[in-house]
Amino acid sequence: MFRWWAAALALAVGTPAAAQDAAVVVSADTALAQDAAEVARTRGIDPADALILLRKQAASVAVTDWIEGEYRDRVAGTVVERDGGVTVLLTGTRAVSDGQVAIDGLTIPIRFRTGAGATRVQMLAAITRHQAAIRAMVQRPPALGIDARRGELLILIGAADAAGDVAALKRRVEALTGVPVRIATSGRPELDLSGEVVGGSRLIGPDPVSGRRFYCTTGFVVTDGVQNGIVTAAHCPDTLEHVAKDGTRTPLTFIGQWGWGFHDVQINASPEAVQPRFFSDAARTVSRPVEGQRSRARTRVGDIVCHRGEHSGYSCAEVEMVDFAPSGDLCGGPCLPTWVAVAGPGCRGGDSGGPVFIGTTAIGLLKGASYRPDGTCVFYYYMSLDYLPDGWRLVRAPSAFTTPGTLPNSP
């Protein structure tokens, strides 16, 4: 019997001082209210209800941490549902009673489903051991991930492979891996987003081979204890200039890039990368302080996260997979299943390196996306800030941040 447990549980980087002063710096409550308004818009619900959902999402992290520890040998997937409740998929047939927990005045339903054919650990091991063999079975290396809702190893193939005997491919992979498998197609292979910098600001730089200039987006301010820098995606140009809202350009010194397996991160230094802030809105009029960091281990399918890209602007959507390996050789070879995939349609080229966040909590850096034939975004995927390069860490605002800020028509 499950014993219920509960506990009370921007970048003004590289931005000239005048541009920083022009932006409203908002509090954590106001930032979360802004995200709630975006969730309300996309879901067609009341902003007050959306704010409750985001508060439940944050409060339930400690609960799912405990559940996944208690049932570590059975957990196939953990999902945050649209009502703010949590569903846990377990292997085996031994039932666990549903229930609810009360945290900070919020009631969070907890539901258990049984019958999964493999645990998350087993499916991750299958990807690690058999990724090369699975890639050899198809014409184009597929994307691999874990479908936490269904407890299946998900293989996303391209159109050419989808025209073949998909049922036979499924049988071959299941025989190889020993875990449940589902084959699907995104309609178009995953692409890197060659893209745009400030924590949420524009970057521009030349490709060393073609000479063409590309845009990317800045992520967050980081430090190694000696110098500060701004992070973006490693597949962006090495030589970058930060482009402020007024068009002023500031050269950024290249420090290094890490783009293998589970990394897609680059650091460029700037003497103006001093404030732990990032722009969240499309117009770059609102900046948020970085007051916390969310790890990949504490991110669940169904969680709502937001991102800002210099091309697509600001949007919020649900996490679809927390164990995702993009297709092709986008990681200096095969990617590891350490990327987090988020539902579209809020992504476009130029968003690479941009911040993924909720409220004033930093979560990740956008890497790439999958697109439909008409160019619309199916999903994007990001690198968790867990994988910042060794010796580098996120710069955070003081915990006692109290700078007031309000948004027009904020709920």
Side-chain angles (χ1 to χ4, degrees):
M1 176 66 65
F2 180 77
R3 180 178 179 181
W4 289 107
W5 170 91
L9 308 169
L11 179 99
V13 181
T15 310
Q20 293 183 24
D21 292 342
V24 176
V25 182
V26 300
S27 68
D29 288 344
T30 302
L32 197 65
Q34 182 186 25
D35 294 342
E38 174 64 8
V39 172
R41 183 188 68 81
T42 57
R43 289 192 177 181
I45 62 177
D46 186 271
D49 293 333
L51 185 57
I52 291 173
L53 285 178
L54 294 186
R55 290 179 59 213
K56 284 184 176 181
Q57 174 177 301
S60 66
V61 171
V63 179
T64 53
D65 282 350
W66 188 89
I67 292 173
E68 290 179 353
E70 181 75 3
Y71 294 94
R72 65 176 63 86
D73 296 331
R74 297 185 62 189
V75 173
T78 303
V79 176
V80 176
E81 304 291 1
R82 289 205 157 200
D83 65 353
V86 173
T87 298
V88 182
L89 178 61
L90 303 173
T91 58
T93 58
R94 180 166 52 87
V96 177
S97 299
D98 294 343
Q100 61 185 30
V101 292
I103 302 176
D104 295 336
L106 303 169
T107 299
I108 303 170
I110 310 294
R111 310 172 183 101
F112 289 91
R113 293 167 46 218
T114 59
T119 66
R120 176 190 178 195
V121 171
Q122 290 170 330
M123 288 183 280
L124 280 172
I127 294 176
T128 301
R129 294 170 185 163
H130 305 296
Q131 185 176 29
I134 295 171
R135 286 162 60 94
M137 294 179 185
V138 292
Q139 298 179 50
R140 185 181 188 279
L144 304 174
I146 294 176
D147 185 337
R149 296 181 185 275
R150 300 171 58 158
E152 296 171 329
L153 170 58
L154 178 63
I155 302 177
L156 290 173
I157 59 175
D161 290 300
D165 191 341
V166 176
L169 175 62
K170 179 178 184 295
R171 290 193 296 270
R172 290 177 64 195
V173 177
E174 286 187 329
L176 173 69
T177 62
V179 301
V181 171
R182 180 161 63 92
I183 310 288
T185 178
S186 63
R188 181 173 172 181
E190 286 66 38
L191 304 174
D192 258 4
L193 296 177
S194 296
E196 310 193 37
V197 166
V198 239
S201 211
R202 176 176 293 194
L203 296 172
I204 188 169
D207 180 89
V209 178
S210 68
R212 293 177 57 201
R213 298 180 73 78
F214 289 95
Y215 291 104
C216 282
T217 305
T218 50
F220 301 100
V221 181
V222 295
T223 184
D224 65 356
V226 177
Q227 60 184 331
N228 280 16
I230 186 68
V231 288
T232 189
H235 64 266
C236 295
D238 295 354
T239 303
L240 291 169
E241 293 178 310
H242 173 265
V243 183
K245 186 179 177 182
D246 64 0
T248 302
R249 297 191 178 187
T250 303
L252 303 176
T253 303
F254 176 76
I255 293 179
Q257 61 181 210
W258 298 259
W260 301 92
F262 57 92
H263 275 139
D264 191 351
V265 57
Q266 175 173 311
I267 300 176
N268 289 72
S270 169
E272 296 186 56
V274 293
Q275 298 295 328
R277 301 177 189 164
F278 62 97
F279 288 121
S280 57
D281 64 322
R284 289 194 279 174
T285 60
V286 176
S287 71
R288 302 183 182 186
V290 175
E291 298 184 309
Q293 180 176 339
R294 175 81 53 82
S295 68
R296 175 170 160 257
R298 307 192 87 190
T299 301
R300 295 78 50 92
V301 170
D303 273 345
I304 297 167
V305 299
C306 306
H307 90 94
R308 188 200 181 275
E310 184 59 22
H311 200 170
S312 68
Y314 162 72
S315 63
C316 302
E318 293 181 16
V319 171
E320 293 192 332
M321 286 181 278
V322 294
D323 305 296
F324 179 67
S327 67
D329 293 317
L330 301 181
C331 302
C335 294
L336 298 177
T338 56
W339 306 86
V340 180
V342 181
C347 66
R348 297 182 67 182
D351 289 355
S352 287
V356 180
F357 54 89
I358 189 70
T360 56
T361 298
I363 297 176
L365 304 175
L366 194 146
K367 173 178 172 61
S370 173
Y371 297 96
R372 298 182 181 88
D374 64 2
T376 56
C377 172
V378 181
F379 60 84
Y380 69 86
Y381 43 95
Y382 69 82
M383 184 197 83
S384 170
L385 294 176
D386 298 339
Y387 306 122
L388 288 175
D390 288 345
W392 291 86
R393 57 181 172 79
L394 192 67
V395 176
R396 302 192 195 189
S399 58
F401 176 85
T402 56
T403 301
T406 58
L407 296 173
N409 302 316
S410 293

